[in-house]
Amino acid sequence: MCKPVILCVDDEKIVLQSLKTQLKSAFGDAYFYEVAEDGDEAIELINELKDEGMKIILLVSDWLMPGMKGDEFLIRVHQAFPNIIKIMLTGQADEQAIARAKEQANIHSCLYKPWAEEELIETIQSALAKL
């Protein structure tokens, strides 16, 4: 069986690289780590991975991205894949967007940029413990 996937979505390449490095450091080879630069690309990737029989278990998404905002993206993902654990990562989300994501996308948590690596890892560990 394939390893589960953790997907990170952010329009800033440096943020994606940082997330991937921190996740690999904390969780090693237990997961595959995928990245996408916007919601549309992420939805395509989710569907491709699903078609390949791979299971995305956790998603970390930025809020302020070109095209689709993070709350809208997370709601769309939740409607199609309610079992994926969702975490919003933001520097600029307004309170209404966070509330909407909590209510309609069932997000596990909302972390603020710049995030502390320890807080990110602890949040992900608590999310994965629910599986």
Side-chain angles (χ1 to χ4, degrees):
M1 189 165 141
C2 287
K3 289 189 276 191
V5 178
I6 295 177
L7 173 61
C8 300
V9 185
D10 197 297
D11 59 318
E12 295 180 56
K13 283 184 168 70
I14 192 157
V15 170
L16 291 174
Q17 190 57 51
S18 182
L19 285 169
K20 202 170 178 179
T21 299
Q22 290 175 8
L23 292 172
K24 278 185 176 179
S25 172
F27 301 109
D29 290 334
Y31 305 100
F32 284 120
Y33 306 97
E34 294 286 347
V35 297
E37 292 184 29
D38 62 48
D40 291 323
E41 181 184 335
I43 288 171
E44 270 183 54
L45 182 58
I46 290 168
N47 287 318
E48 284 173 23
L49 292 170
K50 181 181 157 250
D51 290 347
E52 293 171 12
M54 298 179 78
K55 183 178 180 183
I56 297 175
I57 58 165
L58 188 123
L59 172 63
V60 178
S61 176
D62 186 21
W63 176 69
L64 186 60
M65 298 183 286
M68 193 183 328
K69 295 276 186 282
D71 56 330
E72 180 187 340
F73 164 65
L74 291 168
I75 290 165
R76 285 179 59 183
V77 168
H78 182 69
Q79 289 167 344
F81 305 96
N83 294 330
I84 295 176
I85 297 168
K86 293 157 290 290
I87 296 171
M88 190 186 307
L89 183 64
T90 183
Q92 292 128 341
D94 60 32
E95 293 304 314
Q96 290 175 319
I98 295 167
R100 193 167 43 251
K102 284 180 178 174
E103 184 182 309
Q104 297 178 36
N106 192 31
I107 62 170
H108 173 75
S109 184
C110 181
L111 299 176
Y112 294 90
K113 292 179 181 178
W115 68 92
E117 181 174 352
E118 186 177 303
E119 182 185 22
L120 172 73
I121 300 309
E122 285 175 5
T123 299
I124 291 174
Q125 285 172 330
S126 76
L128 295 174
K130 293 180 173 184
L131 293 177

